[in-house]
Amino acid sequence: MKCEPFIKILGGITAVKGVQAAGVACGIKKAGLDLALIASTPPAATAGVFTTNHVKAAPVLLCKRKLHMGRLSALVANSGNANACTGRQGEEDARAMARITAEALRIPEDEVYVASTGVIGQPLDMEKVAWGIRHAASLLRPDGGPDAARAIMTTDAFPKEAAVAYEHGGKRVTVGGMAKGAGMIRPRMATMLAFLATDASVEKNPLQEALRHSVDHSFNLITVDGDTSTNDTVILFANGVSGTAPLKSGEDMERFQMALNHVTMTLARAIVSDGEGATKLVEVRVEGARTPEEARQVAFSVANSLLVKTAFFGEDPNWGRVMAAIGASGVELRPEAIDIYFDEVKIVERGVGLGREQELEAARVMRGRVFRLEIHLGQGRASAQVLTTDLNYDYVKINASYRS
Amino acid sequence: MKCEPFIKILGGITAVKGVQAAGVACGIKKAGLDLALIASTPPAATAGVFTTNHVKAAPVLLCKRKLHMGRLSALVANSGNANACTGRQGEEDARAMARITAEALRIPEDEVYVASTGVIGQPLDMEKVAWGIRHAASLLRPDGGPDAARAIMTTDAFPKEAAVAYEHGGKRVTVGGMAKGAGMIRPRMATMLAFLATDASVEKNPLQEALRHSVDHSFNLITVDGDTSTNDTVILFANGVSGTAPLKSGEDMERFQMALNHVTMTLARAIVSDGEGATKLVEVRVEGARTPEEARQVAFSVANSLLVKTAFFGEDPNWGRVMAAIGASGVELRPEAIDIYFDEVKIVERGVGLGREQELEAARVMRGRVFRLEIHLGQGRASAQVLTTDLNYDYVKINASYRS
């Protein structure tokens, strides 16, 4: 596949033509922006990927239902309260958020998507929310993306935005988005939200397919199905404002996919970098597995091992823990075929350590903020990679006191 | 089943008739006892359960082979070095440990079992080990259990011993043992060793069956298959010195099983209590599941959730995280059927929080060192329980600097 380089652009979701946004403070959180509104004119084809958790927050259930129609005019999201485990009242509140937004923007209620993130199990203060929505509606602007990105933050240390553009038949197509999430231990039960937009013209079904593929190669590298929060939501909408013909398949679609992947991968890396208290960003790469599934299994076993992650923090190339985590993955393997590297430094050959000098070299690699742990299983040609972080005091501190 | 109460006795493995032990310091660790020797006269029928990790330490591979014959005269174990990922040299060293012990005690090499725990990937200093074994052989005593229990410790804060006795046909039968392990996050990759002895007369096959059952209801409540260290080893031997007829099945065997379970459960609780840096011991109990397997799945999902465990440390009855962990277990369930308790305090009813006052009550419960988190799924009659701990600063501290 040939393709021109992307025109990388700064900015996020409002870099996309036809998209406006706003972020306001309405008092759900003790301080700071806590309600985001994003609007598309004209209404956009919509795709979504949601948590696989069996306990789903009210707004997730609502969005899933709306997706059957697949048309979006606006998206409203609050932080500070997840509206999860809130029973019937929670469902009514999520619907009310859509209704109030629809009234404020004079659009059909069906075309309003809703997301929430924050504390579980407390009812939303709908008076504050209603005021916030109306206020945000009055502030919608073509450069409001950064405020909206800030308004969906919870334990995030920084807002997360990304956008890229490319030329397609003389038209400029943009893909942009924002995300929140800061999971030291993969986002696990810390909610991940991502809102993505494009001015390409893509119909609902190919759009859904592109989103699923992109999520698998970005956000799902930092989390795994069945281990997600009650609120995880990724929404992508395409409003066609760029003026291109509808993208269907072949090279056109591949180029769009690449642009989308670039945005989702950038946001995913930002989430991991913002891992609660993280001091290291580590790419765990597994090579030489029999199948991609087995490669993934080994990569996740290592990336999620608390003993490996505390060793990252301690800058200790404790490859014994890596070997133990590989062995604990459940994948059938021969220890005596395994090689392990930190960046370019080989530290284990055929299952046995290469000695003190190599360990000192590896320790030097680990002093960096970003490095790669590479594992060669010597069984086949499949590979996988996962992003992870260290585990340190700050993770405990942030999460022991999150509600207080 | 009727049965007399146990005669609970203090002590550990050397409370069992015919068993002697010793613990010595031979310099594998920087300080402290680091080599344990346990001997049985006469040779005993032997059962064993070993790690399911695909990376197995040399002594584990050796013991598994010996188990086919199933006769034990002695067991030698060192701490400070796991003899794992040590290649061919490691296998030779494990065999040498058995050979040196056999020579020192003038017993067949086949009847010597070997275990190691400590750092992975470094060759054993066999000069020190050989000296240690000979020294320990000269110190074997009928009250040497406590020294041996101390000699197998690594990050353990205290040694772990247990023993019970009961009357059987006018004879006194004793079951005793020792363990090491301190896993805040289930023992995971921190090695768990348990050496158990009885003076009952039980043949190899029923002994193995009893051990498997007992491990499933004790050590496997704090760990799970496929997520174990390279060295996990549980060995049980029965030397018949009590003079009872061989136990086969029925009530005799049930009583023995109960005594064995009591010892293994006591040791398992001690391991969790000694969770690296743990300040809380929490029993996670799941009721009302459709199957025992699903109950276990939910219990482990909650007991291993880092967000739940940090909330234990923060004494925060953050039931939203508990709901999220239940939902993330992969078990199909209806959130609106779930009740949650801390000890007797109901905090969630039908999936919804019961409010501030109940949370304050639950927070009071969590201030204790030991409490129960009970989850009713409302789907069936199966239940499961798992022991876990909080996650706090000390865990990170201990594990970030373990090797240095």
Side-chain angles (χ1 to χ4, degrees):
Chain A
M1 185 187 112
K2 285 182 309 170
C3 72
E4 311 87 298
F6 296 130
I7 307 158
K8 290 199 189 167
I9 54 174
L10 292 176
I13 203 158
T14 44
V16 177
K17 285 184 283 290
V19 177
Q20 298 195 322
V24 300
C26 65
I28 310 171
K29 288 201 291 208
K30 277 172 203 154
L33 302 179
D34 52 15
L35 191 133
L37 187 60
I38 300 165
S40 174
T41 316
T46 312
V49 173
F50 302 94
T51 183
T52 55
N53 197 305
H54 281 97
V55 177
K56 289 181 175 65
V60 169
L61 295 169
L62 186 68
C63 284
K64 282 182 76 120
R65 280 200 301 274
K66 283 175 190 266
L67 212 62
H68 289 292
M69 198 178 75
R71 238 168 104 91
L72 178 150
S73 283
L75 197 168
V76 59
N78 73 277
S79 58
N81 185 318
N83 193 13
C85 304
T86 40
R88 205 168 291 271
Q89 184 62 49
E91 289 175 35
E92 276 169 32
D93 291 345
R95 273 199 305 272
M97 284 177 71
R99 194 176 58 245
I100 296 163
T101 305
E103 285 164 7
L105 297 176
R106 299 166 195 277
I107 52 174
E109 188 185 324
D110 279 353
E111 296 176 9
V112 181
Y113 285 70
V114 179
S116 295
T117 176
V119 174
I120 298 178
Q122 282 170 18
L124 273 172
D125 183 336
M126 284 305 292
E127 207 169 314
K128 290 175 178 173
V129 171
W131 180 87
I133 292 173
R134 288 183 197 117
H135 188 45
S138 74
L139 292 178
L140 276 179
R141 282 181 1 189
D143 60 353
D147 280 353
R150 207 165 266 283
I152 59 173
M153 287 165 61
T154 56
T155 54
D156 303 59
F158 53 85
K160 293 156 192 78
E161 292 194 282
V164 291
Y166 64 94
E167 296 296 324
H168 176 80
K171 318 277 189 188
R172 182 179 190 163
V173 172
T174 302
V175 180
M178 66 178 66
K180 65 89 36 177
M184 169 162 287
I185 314 296
R186 49 183 154 156
R188 246 187 129 97
M189 279 156 239
T191 287
M192 199 274 294
L193 298 180
F195 305 139
L196 309 161
T198 180
D199 44 26
S201 173
V202 193
E203 278 177 24
K204 186 170 154 288
N205 290 341
L207 195 69
Q208 180 69 35
E209 209 174 298
L211 180 62
R212 165 50 70 192
H213 184 271
S214 202
V215 167
D216 278 346
H217 290 81
S218 57
F219 302 118
N220 279 352
L221 293 183
I222 55 171
T223 183
V224 278
D225 279 357
D227 199 346
T228 52
S229 97
T230 50
N231 290 60
D232 291 350
T233 299
V234 182
I235 286 174
L236 165 64
F237 59 90
N239 62 19
V241 174
S242 65
T244 61
L247 306 181
K248 288 244 161 75
S249 55
E251 219 176 277
D252 292 354
M253 200 60 198
E254 273 179 53
R255 197 157 35 178
F256 171 71
Q257 183 79 61
M258 278 184 67
L260 179 61
N261 290 356
H262 185 88
V263 171
T264 55
M265 196 61 209
T266 304
L267 294 173
R269 287 187 80 95
I271 288 172
V272 182
S273 298
D274 194 4
E276 291 163 345
T279 68
K280 308 284 178 192
L281 174 59
V282 186
E283 181 189 326
V284 177
R285 167 170 281 280
V286 174
E287 304 271 2
R290 271 181 301 241
T291 66
E293 191 33 59
E294 290 194 353
R296 252 174 78 91
Q297 226 174 304
V298 171
F300 273 110
S301 182
V302 173
N304 290 322
S305 157
L306 301 191
L307 291 178
V308 171
K309 286 161 77 78
T310 46
F312 289 161
F313 174 57
E315 300 177 348
D316 175 6
N318 192 327
W319 58 267
R321 292 183 180 176
V322 177
M323 286 293 286
I326 295 168
S329 66
V331 170
E332 201 82 47
L333 43 80
R334 294 187 312 124
E336 60 276 19
I338 295 173
D339 295 346
I340 298 177
Y341 299 77
F342 280 88
D343 280 358
E344 312 303 324
V345 180
K346 196 187 234 182
I347 180 169
V348 171
E349 191 170 79
R350 301 181 171 277
V352 178
L354 289 176
R356 189 82 191 134
E357 211 163 305
Q358 292 302 95
E359 291 196 15
L360 287 174
E361 273 300 308
R364 231 185 309 272
V365 167
M366 295 177 83
R367 259 172 248 146
R369 201 183 128 69
V370 180
F371 57 86
R372 192 174 67 252
L373 168 56
E374 203 169 304
I375 296 157
H376 294 211
L377 297 179
Q379 298 188 299
R381 300 165 58 95
S383 67
Q385 58 172 343
V386 172
L387 295 174
T388 191
T389 62
D390 60 327
L391 176 65
N392 60 48
Y393 305 110
D394 282 349
Y395 175 81
V396 177
K397 191 165 165 188
I398 291 167
N399 285 301
S401 58
Y402 177 52
R403 296 210 309 181
S404 26
Chain B
M1 186 187 112
K2 285 182 307 173
C3 72
E4 312 88 294
F6 296 131
I7 309 159
K8 290 199 190 170
I9 53 174
L10 292 174
I13 203 156
T14 43
V16 176
K17 286 185 282 293
V19 177
Q20 302 194 61
V24 300
C26 64
I28 310 171
K29 289 201 289 207
K30 277 172 201 154
L33 303 179
D34 53 14
L35 191 134
L37 187 60
I38 300 166
S40 173
T41 317
T46 312
V49 173
F50 302 94
T51 184
T52 56
N53 197 305
H54 280 97
V55 177
K56 289 182 175 64
V60 169
L61 294 169
L62 185 68
C63 284
K64 281 182 75 119
R65 279 198 302 272
K66 283 175 191 267
L67 212 60
H68 289 291
M69 197 178 76
R71 239 169 104 91
L72 179 150
S73 284
L75 197 168
V76 60
N78 72 276
S79 58
N81 185 319
N83 193 12
C85 303
T86 38
R88 203 167 292 272
Q89 184 61 48
E91 289 174 36
E92 276 169 32
D93 291 345
R95 273 199 306 273
M97 283 176 72
R99 193 178 58 244
I100 296 163
T101 305
E103 285 164 7
L105 297 177
R106 296 164 199 280
I107 52 177
E109 187 184 325
D110 279 352
E111 296 176 9
V112 182
Y113 285 70
V114 179
S116 295
T117 176
V119 174
I120 298 178
Q122 282 170 17
L124 273 172
D125 183 334
M126 284 306 292
E127 207 169 315
K128 291 176 179 173
V129 170
W131 179 88
I133 292 173
R134 289 182 196 116
H135 189 45
S138 73
L139 292 178
L140 276 180
R141 283 183 359 190
D143 61 353
D147 280 352
R150 208 166 265 284
I152 59 173
M153 288 164 61
T154 55
T155 56
D156 303 59
F158 53 86
K160 294 157 192 79
E161 290 194 282
V164 292
Y166 64 94
E167 296 297 323
H168 175 81
K171 317 277 187 188
R172 181 178 190 167
V173 172
T174 301
V175 180
M178 67 178 67
K180 66 87 39 176
M184 168 162 288
I185 315 295
R186 51 185 152 151
R188 244 188 131 101
M189 279 156 239
T191 288
M192 199 274 295
L193 299 180
F195 305 138
L196 308 161
T198 180
D199 44 26
S201 172
V202 193
E203 278 178 22
K204 186 172 155 285
N205 291 340
L207 194 70
Q208 180 69 34
E209 210 175 298
L211 180 62
R212 165 50 70 191
H213 184 272
S214 202
V215 167
D216 278 346
H217 290 80
S218 56
F219 302 118
N220 278 352
L221 293 183
I222 54 170
T223 183
V224 280
D225 279 357
D227 200 347
T228 51
S229 98
T230 50
N231 290 60
D232 292 349
T233 299
V234 182
I235 287 174
L236 165 64
F237 58 91
N239 62 19
V241 175
S242 63
T244 62
L247 306 181
K248 289 245 160 74
S249 55
E251 220 176 275
D252 292 354
M253 199 62 197
E254 275 179 51
R255 198 156 37 176
F256 171 71
Q257 184 80 60
M258 279 184 66
L260 179 61
N261 290 356
H262 184 88
V263 171
T264 55
M265 195 62 207
T266 304
L267 294 172
R269 287 187 79 95
I271 289 173
V272 182
S273 299
D274 194 4
E276 289 163 346
T279 68
K280 308 284 177 193
L281 174 59
V282 185
E283 181 190 325
V284 177
R285 167 170 281 282
V286 173
E287 304 271 3
R290 272 182 301 242
T291 65
E293 190 34 57
E294 290 194 353
R296 253 174 78 91
Q297 226 174 303
V298 171
F300 273 111
S301 182
V302 172
N304 290 322
S305 157
L306 301 192
L307 291 177
V308 170
K309 287 160 77 77
T310 46
F312 289 160
F313 173 57
E315 299 177 349
D316 176 5
N318 192 328
W319 57 267
R321 291 182 180 176
V322 177
M323 287 292 288
I326 295 168
S329 66
V331 170
E332 201 82 48
L333 43 80
R334 294 187 313 121
E336 60 276 18
I338 295 172
D339 296 345
I340 299 176
Y341 300 77
F342 280 89
D343 279 357
E344 311 304 323
V345 181
K346 196 187 233 182
I347 179 169
V348 171
E349 191 171 78
R350 301 180 172 277
V352 177
L354 289 175
R356 189 82 189 134
E357 211 163 304
Q358 292 300 94
E359 290 195 15
L360 287 174
E361 273 300 309
R364 232 186 307 274
V365 167
M366 295 177 83
R367 258 172 250 145
R369 200 183 130 68
V370 180
F371 56 88
R372 192 174 68 252
L373 168 57
E374 202 169 303
I375 296 157
H376 294 211
L377 295 179
Q379 300 188 297
R381 299 164 59 96
S383 67
Q385 58 170 344
V386 172
L387 295 174
T388 189
T389 61
D390 60 326
L391 177 65
N392 60 46
Y393 304 110
D394 282 349
Y395 174 81
V396 176
K397 192 166 165 187
I398 290 166
N399 284 301
S401 57
Y402 177 52
R403 294 210 308 179
S404 24

